[in-house]
Amino acid sequence: MAIKTILSAASAALIGVGVANAATITFEGEDEVAITEGDSFMVGDVTFTQGTSDSLGFLAIVDEAIFVEAGTTKMWSGNRANVIMSLTSGDLFSLNSVDLGGSFVRSPARWADGITITGTLADMSTISLLIDLPAADPNYVNVVFGAAWSALMSVEFAATGSNGTGLYDYEFTLDNIDFGEASAVPLPAAAPLFLAGAAAAGFARRRRAKTA
């Protein structure tokens, strides 16, 4: 199936934030479920937690043919559940890209018509992006994020609207989550010269004091 790609407008560079150990979560071979708010499960190095939801909300990993893109495994957010992604280690990470899709292919009324993606950064500030999903197209929307989506503590995916009128018509699926662990902040290129100069200045001061 064709995949539509959307580039995040929030692409301001973060100076000094690198990315290491890039990985992609495809959910293939996984079988997990979180059935109440606060429940979580691990996939590789990532923990997925059910955030604020209706009392019947849940998260599940499925590969049923009735879901968008049959034949692949993906995460299903059911009954208005939010999905919170974080590294199990608690380390910072970058979000590079993700595929967002509808739920039941045979019942587009169950699909969310939009997803808000909210990242919480290391300084506790947030960054967000609203993605519109096609009303009658089962294909995934591929979202590519800019450099501003680095040094993340967590990312939350939440449905913002529905194609239907039912209480639980806010369902969506996630797949192919590409992310990387944020590396240590590197020193600027001029830092070694600055440090060398500072050391030399300190040595000179000590020498003058000794002479005096």
Side-chain angles (χ1 to χ4, degrees), residues 4-9 129-133 141-145:
K4 179 180 179 182
T5 298
I6 295 179
L7 298 178
S8 168
L129 181 65
L130 174 62
I131 302 298
D132 291 325
L133 297 181
V141 171
N142 176 250
V143 183
V144 178
F145 298 88

Side-chain angles (χ1 to χ4, degrees), residues 31-189:
D31 182 13
E32 302 285 354
V33 64
I35 58 175
T36 61
E37 185 175 338
D39 277 0
S40 63
F41 52 77
M42 290 175 54
V43 178
D45 297 328
V46 176
T47 295
F48 293 96
T49 304
Q50 184 190 151
T52 303
S53 70
D54 185 87
S55 60
L56 296 180
F58 62 90
L59 306 181
I61 298 177
V62 296
D63 60 1
E64 299 177 27
I66 61 174
F67 288 93
V68 62
E69 206 167 87
T72 67
T73 305
K74 71 284 293 179
M75 179 185 290
W76 171 28
S77 166
N79 295 352
R80 305 181 71 126
N82 295 355
V83 181
I84 300 174
M85 170 186 175
S86 61
L87 293 192
T88 306
S89 64
D91 293 336
L92 302 178
F93 66 98
S94 67
L95 184 60
N96 304 323
S97 64
V98 64
D99 290 345
L100 300 173
S103 178
F104 292 92
V105 172
R106 300 173 187 171
S107 182
R110 297 287 295 271
W111 302 354
D113 65 4
I115 305 293
T116 294
I117 307 171
T118 303
T120 300
L121 300 169
D123 62 359
M124 300 306 295
S125 63
T126 59
I127 185 171
S128 63
L129 181 65
L130 174 62
I131 302 298
D132 291 325
L133 297 181
D137 184 350
N139 293 332
Y140 273 108
V141 171
N142 176 250
V143 183
V144 178
F145 298 88
W149 291 78
S150 299
L152 295 163
M153 297 178 62
S154 65
V155 175
E156 183 170 25
F157 302 87
T160 56
S162 171
N163 289 305
T165 59
L167 180 61
Y168 301 117
D169 293 342
Y170 292 80
E171 301 190 345
F172 61 92
T173 52
L174 299 174
D175 203 1
N176 302 319
I177 303 174
D178 187 83
F179 71 100
E181 183 177 337
S183 62
V185 177
L187 290 172

